[in-house]
Amino acid sequence: RKEVEQDPGPFNVPEGATVAFNCTYSNSASQSFFWYRQDCRKEPKLLMSVYSSGNEDGRFTAQLNRASQYISLLIRDSKLSDSATYLCVVKPGNFNKFYFGSGTKLNVKP
Amino acid sequence: DTGVSQDPRHKITKRGQNVTFRCDPISEHNRLYWYRQTLGQGPEFLTYFQNEAQLEKSRLLSDRFSAERPKGSFSTLEIQRTEQGDSAMYLCASSLGAGGAFFGPGTRLTVL
């Protein structure tokens, strides 16, 4: 079983739409959670950390449900520039590594 | 630019040759990671350094792979006797404390 599971998509949405991605993680000892964005043939870039109480950064809202072991990312008012692959990342407290999902591809169309 | 840098950005080699990649982390970051990524997959963990100590190494890493971080600054990843299955993007990342890691641009390896 993979440590982090994501729907690969693609999610094809029009500009201005709201889109949400979920991911699930298997290790209940996970303590740190992140969303990364990766453009084609580029390195992953940290988008935001995910906190237990949920957090927002502009058009992006991240939420964590520890009981169900899933993390979500909501993007409001999608822009063409949001087109990318979004990677869900968890870091168990007792491990020195980040576990990445395979990513969810988002295509925002004009 | 004070981000993570990697060199070279691209490497083409023939099967059986040795290759070495370099990573310069963000200067105040004490944690350094090497990951490997193939098309359509998320990055896979290879190894982790805290300062100069290599504290964790993936079982994915065969004996042909070795990494060092002398003096806790830059790091090198060497692959000996390369195989076609080693073709991938090799990513280096660094972090400080419990925050997220910041990645370099990667070294794209092609083994012919």
Side-chain angles (χ1 to χ4, degrees), chain B residues 5 9 13 23-26 29 31 42 50-51 55-56 58-59 67 71 75 85 99 107 109:
Chain B
S5 62
R9 297 288 303 276
T13 191
C23 169
D24 286 89
I26 293 171
H29 286 184
R31 301 179 183 202
Q50 185 161 318
N51 300 310
L55 296 184
E56 194 159 350
S58 168
R59 284 170 288 180
K71 302 178 184 176
S75 175
T107 295
L109 173 66

mmCIF file of all heavy atoms in Angstrom, chain B residues 5 9 13 23-26 29 31 42 50-51 55-56 58-59 67 71 75 85 99 107 109:
data_model
loop_
_atom_site.group_PDB
_atom_site.id
_atom_site.type_symbol
_atom_site.label_atom_id
_atom_site.label_comp_id
_atom_site.label_asym_id
_atom_site.label_seq_id
_atom_site.Cartn_x
_atom_site.Cartn_y
_atom_site.Cartn_z
ATOM 1 N N SER B 5 20.720 24.728 -5.446
ATOM 2 C CA SER B 5 21.244 24.589 -6.810
ATOM 3 C C SER B 5 21.783 23.187 -7.021
ATOM 4 O O SER B 5 22.225 22.525 -6.073
ATOM 5 C CB SER B 5 22.327 25.638 -7.102
ATOM 6 O OG SER B 5 23.417 25.475 -6.231
ATOM 7 N N ARG B 9 22.626 20.109 -14.840
ATOM 8 C CA ARG B 9 21.177 20.061 -15.016
ATOM 9 C C ARG B 9 20.761 18.872 -15.869
ATOM 10 O O ARG B 9 19.679 18.327 -15.686
ATOM 11 C CB ARG B 9 20.691 21.354 -15.661
ATOM 12 C CG ARG B 9 20.940 22.597 -14.806
ATOM 13 C CD ARG B 9 20.017 22.634 -13.599
ATOM 14 N NE ARG B 9 18.630 22.577 -13.990
ATOM 15 C CZ ARG B 9 17.931 23.627 -14.360
ATOM 16 N NH1 ARG B 9 18.470 24.838 -14.342
ATOM 17 N NH2 ARG B 9 16.661 23.487 -14.705
ATOM 18 N N THR B 13 24.715 9.643 -20.391
ATOM 19 C CA THR B 13 25.861 8.766 -20.215
ATOM 20 C C THR B 13 25.557 7.409 -20.833
ATOM 21 O O THR B 13 24.406 7.076 -21.112
ATOM 22 C CB THR B 13 26.200 8.616 -18.724
ATOM 23 O OG1 THR B 13 27.461 7.972 -18.578
ATOM 24 C CG2 THR B 13 25.150 7.795 -17.991
ATOM 25 N N CYS B 23 24.862 18.939 -5.227
ATOM 26 C CA CYS B 23 23.758 19.750 -4.719
ATOM 27 C C CYS B 23 24.307 20.750 -3.713
ATOM 28 O O CYS B 23 25.042 20.382 -2.791
ATOM 29 C CB CYS B 23 22.720 18.863 -4.033
ATOM 30 S SG CYS B 23 21.472 19.782 -3.103
ATOM 31 N N ASP B 24 23.936 22.012 -3.884
ATOM 32 C CA ASP B 24 24.245 23.043 -2.891
ATOM 33 C C ASP B 24 22.938 23.483 -2.257
ATOM 34 O O ASP B 24 22.104 24.110 -2.924
ATOM 35 C CB ASP B 24 24.958 24.215 -3.552
ATOM 36 C CG ASP B 24 26.393 23.888 -3.905
ATOM 37 O OD1 ASP B 24 26.627 23.389 -5.029
ATOM 38 O OD2 ASP B 24 27.255 24.095 -3.044
ATOM 39 N N PRO B 25 22.737 23.165 -0.990
ATOM 40 C CA PRO B 25 21.464 23.497 -0.342
ATOM 41 C C PRO B 25 21.405 24.981 0.025
ATOM 42 O O PRO B 25 22.390 25.705 -0.115
ATOM 43 C CB PRO B 25 21.501 22.640 0.925
ATOM 44 C CG PRO B 25 22.961 22.548 1.249
ATOM 45 C CD PRO B 25 23.669 22.505 -0.080
ATOM 46 N N ILE B 26 20.256 25.394 0.513
ATOM 47 C CA ILE B 26 20.122 26.736 1.080
ATOM 48 C C ILE B 26 21.054 26.800 2.288
ATOM 49 O O ILE B 26 21.081 25.867 3.100
ATOM 50 C CB ILE B 26 18.650 27.005 1.464
ATOM 51 C CG1 ILE B 26 17.810 27.055 0.184
ATOM 52 C CG2 ILE B 26 18.520 28.290 2.266
ATOM 53 C CD1 ILE B 26 16.308 27.094 0.409
ATOM 54 N N HIS B 29 20.245 25.732 5.917
ATOM 55 C CA HIS B 29 19.496 24.497 6.098
ATOM 56 C C HIS B 29 20.427 23.358 6.490
ATOM 57 O O HIS B 29 21.400 23.072 5.803
ATOM 58 C CB HIS B 29 18.755 24.123 4.811
ATOM 59 C CG HIS B 29 17.557 24.972 4.551
ATOM 60 N ND1 HIS B 29 16.701 24.747 3.494
ATOM 61 C CD2 HIS B 29 17.054 26.037 5.223
ATOM 62 C CE1 HIS B 29 15.724 25.648 3.533
ATOM 63 N NE2 HIS B 29 15.930 26.441 4.574
ATOM 64 N N ARG B 31 19.289 20.162 6.934
ATOM 65 C CA ARG B 31 18.754 18.886 6.442
ATOM 66 C C ARG B 31 18.807 18.872 4.921
ATOM 67 O O ARG B 31 18.398 19.840 4.268
ATOM 68 C CB ARG B 31 17.324 18.679 6.920
ATOM 69 C CG ARG B 31 17.215 18.688 8.433
ATOM 70 C CD ARG B 31 15.808 18.502 8.907
ATOM 71 N NE ARG B 31 15.747 18.579 10.362
ATOM 72 C CZ ARG B 31 14.795 18.075 11.106
ATOM 73 N NH1 ARG B 31 13.799 17.434 10.530
ATOM 74 N NH2 ARG B 31 14.820 18.192 12.413
ATOM 75 N N GLY B 42 5.379 10.574 -8.269
ATOM 76 C CA GLY B 42 5.891 11.557 -7.329
ATOM 77 C C GLY B 42 7.345 11.243 -6.996
ATOM 78 O O GLY B 42 7.827 10.134 -7.262
ATOM 79 N N GLN B 50 21.533 14.896 7.967
ATOM 80 C CA GLN B 50 21.383 15.997 8.917
ATOM 81 C C GLN B 50 22.798 16.465 9.211
ATOM 82 O O GLN B 50 23.613 15.713 9.762
ATOM 83 C CB GLN B 50 20.682 15.561 10.192
ATOM 84 C CG GLN B 50 20.421 16.734 11.125
ATOM 85 C CD GLN B 50 19.352 16.445 12.152
ATOM 86 O OE1 GLN B 50 18.328 15.844 11.856
ATOM 87 N NE2 GLN B 50 19.586 16.868 13.379
ATOM 88 N N ASN B 51 23.082 17.677 8.809
ATOM 89 C CA ASN B 51 24.471 18.173 8.783
ATOM 90 C C ASN B 51 25.289 17.200 7.935
ATOM 91 O O ASN B 51 24.902 16.911 6.818
ATOM 92 C CB ASN B 51 24.984 18.351 10.203
ATOM 93 C CG ASN B 51 24.138 19.345 10.988
ATOM 94 O OD1 ASN B 51 23.869 20.448 10.505
ATOM 95 N ND2 ASN B 51 23.683 18.963 12.168
ATOM 96 N N LEU B 55 21.712 9.915 7.789
ATOM 97 C CA LEU B 55 20.909 9.261 8.813
ATOM 98 C C LEU B 55 19.927 8.234 8.264
ATOM 99 O O LEU B 55 19.430 7.400 9.024
ATOM 100 C CB LEU B 55 20.154 10.300 9.640
ATOM 101 C CG LEU B 55 21.029 11.264 10.453
ATOM 102 C CD1 LEU B 55 20.160 12.178 11.311
ATOM 103 C CD2 LEU B 55 22.020 10.502 11.315
ATOM 104 N N GLU B 56 19.625 8.348 6.994
ATOM 105 C CA GLU B 56 18.664 7.390 6.442
ATOM 106 C C GLU B 56 18.937 7.168 4.973
ATOM 107 O O GLU B 56 19.324 8.086 4.255
ATOM 108 C CB GLU B 56 17.233 7.880 6.663
ATOM 109 C CG GLU B 56 16.188 6.823 6.434
ATOM 110 C CD GLU B 56 14.867 7.125 7.112
ATOM 111 O OE1 GLU B 56 14.793 8.059 7.931
ATOM 112 O OE2 GLU B 56 13.906 6.400 6.814
ATOM 113 N N SER B 58 17.301 4.848 1.605
ATOM 114 C CA SER B 58 16.211 4.014 1.134
ATOM 115 C C SER B 58 16.709 2.644 0.702
ATOM 116 O O SER B 58 17.830 2.494 0.201
ATOM 117 C CB SER B 58 15.528 4.709 -0.050
ATOM 118 O OG SER B 58 14.650 3.841 -0.709
ATOM 119 N N ARG B 59 15.821 1.669 0.840
ATOM 120 C CA ARG B 59 16.153 0.338 0.332
ATOM 121 C C ARG B 59 16.201 0.330 -1.198
ATOM 122 O O ARG B 59 16.715 -0.587 -1.806
ATOM 123 C CB ARG B 59 15.113 -0.681 0.815
ATOM 124 C CG ARG B 59 15.301 -1.057 2.268
ATOM 125 C CD ARG B 59 14.136 -1.865 2.777
ATOM 126 N NE ARG B 59 12.950 -1.059 2.942
ATOM 127 C CZ ARG B 59 11.784 -1.508 3.376
ATOM 128 N NH1 ARG B 59 11.633 -2.777 3.668
ATOM 129 N NH2 ARG B 59 10.751 -0.715 3.512
ATOM 130 N N ALA B 67 26.191 8.544 -1.455
ATOM 131 C CA ALA B 67 26.025 9.981 -1.272
ATOM 132 C C ALA B 67 26.892 10.431 -0.113
ATOM 133 O O ALA B 67 27.122 9.683 0.840
ATOM 134 C CB ALA B 67 24.558 10.324 -1.005
ATOM 135 N N LYS B 71 31.424 18.068 5.606
ATOM 136 C CA LYS B 71 31.332 19.348 6.302
ATOM 137 C C LYS B 71 29.910 19.895 6.377
ATOM 138 O O LYS B 71 29.711 21.064 6.700
ATOM 139 C CB LYS B 71 32.247 20.395 5.661
ATOM 140 C CG LYS B 71 33.699 19.986 5.617
ATOM 141 C CD LYS B 71 34.555 21.029 4.944
ATOM 142 C CE LYS B 71 35.985 20.556 4.828
ATOM 143 N NZ LYS B 71 36.838 21.506 4.093
ATOM 144 N N SER B 75 26.387 18.500 -1.154
ATOM 145 C CA SER B 75 26.303 17.040 -1.161
ATOM 146 C C SER B 75 26.568 16.533 -2.575
ATOM 147 O O SER B 75 26.324 17.240 -3.561
ATOM 148 C CB SER B 75 24.925 16.584 -0.708
ATOM 149 O OG SER B 75 24.784 15.172 -0.806
ATOM 150 N N GLY B 85 17.769 1.678 -16.211
ATOM 151 C CA GLY B 85 16.740 1.926 -15.202
ATOM 152 C C GLY B 85 17.068 3.076 -14.260
ATOM 153 O O GLY B 85 16.196 3.514 -13.498
ATOM 154 N N GLY B 99 9.651 22.390 8.914
ATOM 155 C CA GLY B 99 8.956 22.933 7.751
ATOM 156 C C GLY B 99 9.113 22.081 6.523
ATOM 157 O O GLY B 99 9.763 21.035 6.527
ATOM 158 N N THR B 107 18.665 17.198 -11.599
ATOM 159 C CA THR B 107 19.580 16.740 -12.645
ATOM 160 C C THR B 107 18.865 15.635 -13.403
ATOM 161 O O THR B 107 18.485 14.627 -12.810
ATOM 162 C CB THR B 107 20.891 16.186 -12.057
ATOM 163 O OG1 THR B 107 21.604 17.230 -11.406
ATOM 164 C CG2 THR B 107 21.747 15.580 -13.156
ATOM 165 N N LEU B 109 18.990 12.656 -15.691
ATOM 166 C CA LEU B 109 19.947 11.650 -16.138
ATOM 167 C C LEU B 109 19.324 10.767 -17.204
ATOM 168 O O LEU B 109 18.235 10.231 -17.006
ATOM 169 C CB LEU B 109 20.400 10.781 -14.961
ATOM 170 C CG LEU B 109 21.287 9.583 -15.320
ATOM 171 C CD1 LEU B 109 22.632 10.044 -15.863
ATOM 172 C CD2 LEU B 109 21.483 8.668 -14.116
#
